[in-house]
Amino acid sequence: MTSTQLPSDDDVRRALSAVKDPEIGKPITDLGMVKDVRIDADGTVTVGIYLTVAGCPMKDRLTRDTTEAVQRLGVPDVRVELDVMSDEQRTELRRKLRGDVKDPLIPFAQPGSLTRVYCVASGKGGVGKSSVTVNLAVAMAQRGLSVGVVDADIYGHSIPRMLGTSEKPTKVDDMIMPPQAHDVKVISIGMFTPGNTPVVWRGPMLHRALQQFLADVFWGDLDVLLLDLPPGTGDIAISVAQLIPNAEILVVTTPQQAAAEVAERAGAIALQTRQRVAGVIENMSWLETEDGQRIEVFGSGGGQRVADSLSKSVGAEVPLLGQVPLDPRLRENGDNGTPIVLANPDAPAAQVLRTAAEKLSVRARGLAGMMLNVTPAGR
Ligand SMILES: Nc1ncnc2c1ncn2[C@@H]1O[C@H](COP(=O)(O)OP(=O)(O)OP(=O)(O)O)[C@@H](O)[C@H]1O
Ligand SMILES: [Mg+2]
């Protein structure tokens, strides 16, 4: 490049407007993250970038994205110098992102919120709630939706592992930036406790923790938020209903009659809390042998039974959204952090989960008594 072709300061800033902060999802030029731009006579461009916090886990990616964006101007060399925002700058950023409110509000509970919130609930433990949650989340993200997951199972948090992330959330001022895995934003209590230490939480603390997950985390504009609830009809389910009254319940059960009975009770909590039941997913429905036979390991009929009985008790159709077969790959994929809908998309279990995700993505909200916010499928 000759000196006559040097880009201007404006050229460089325009190029930088294509760089988004990976956690916030907005251009760094809008976030006050560009500290300065220097253009030397030999065409070398040096860009100063403010990180939101020291040791920001995204700094390598930011450096790379910035370098690539400026390289596109055809300059011979790009240098990125990192600095860290001051407290004042962070406060300014928080104001920019969510206004000057004192008490953080739960965005999903505000009138006009376009985010569909699903609480994944079950009666019994171990029926596959967390597995279903991560697969639905990833399948919805694949459909182009912006998706968040809250691991509200304070005692048994397993979501980060199933999504393959061990990243900690970043704090900017008093906002929490959720890590992302497979295009899904995820927050778990496990991210706030060192190592694998068990957490003893009591009711009010649970409520507070959940409120914090929902209010202090910067989720951006979500199409769907999935909450993985602990098994049973405990405190958390009631808290969710109080914090996000328009959250819908998604019931997971196995085909077993005993499991179905408890699942019905978990679903029936919707009657008391006046929440809508979005549907039922039956998991571990059968095991298919190589010659195509289905072994019904846990019996049959549980999912349909829960759907029928909840339809009757809530007085609105509660669909059986799918029957997910047993598949060792589903467990393996969960253990190694790539949900089966990504790792083995053609597996029957993956197909059922994808279809359920599709039904939950496209169905418009709004029964009597609910806001009629119709969100188009995809974006
Ligand atoms: N369809 C399936 N095929 C094979 N394994 C499955 C299937 N669904 C779930 N599993 C496995 O069963 C175990 C329990 O599943 P998961 O952790 O998702 O259940 P949960 O309801 O969230 O449990 P908890 O009540 O402990 O939170 C996991 O090891 C998971 O990998
Ligand atoms: Mg679980």
Side-chain angles (χ1 to χ4, degrees), residues 125-131 153 162 231 283-284 325-327 330-331:
V127 297
K129 260 182 325 322
S130 304
S131 306
D153 188 346
M162 287 183 174
N283 187 29
M284 311 188 178
L326 278 161
D327 188 335
L330 193 150
R331 179 187 51 75

Side-chain angles (χ1 to χ4, degrees), residues 208-289:
R208 174 72 197 119
L210 194 59
Q211 184 172 32
Q212 196 179 17
F213 279 0
L214 296 167
D216 294 350
V217 173
F218 181 73
W219 294 100
D221 294 324
L222 290 185
D223 293 310
V224 180
L225 179 73
L226 292 155
L227 291 105
D228 183 20
L229 299 188
T233 52
D235 295 343
I236 282 275
I238 307 275
S239 280
V240 173
Q242 285 171 353
L243 294 168
I244 323 174
N246 56 334
E248 303 174 40
I249 295 178
L250 182 63
V251 180
V252 179
T253 183
T254 64
Q256 205 172 350
Q257 295 303 318
E261 274 170 37
V262 213
E264 279 166 34
R265 284 203 290 277
I269 202 167
L271 274 183
Q272 296 163 34
T273 56
R274 304 182 151 273
Q275 287 172 288
R276 174 170 166 174
V277 185
V280 177
I281 293 187
E282 184 184 273
N283 187 29
M284 311 188 178
S285 298
W286 54 75
L287 182 67
E288 198 161 312
T289 58

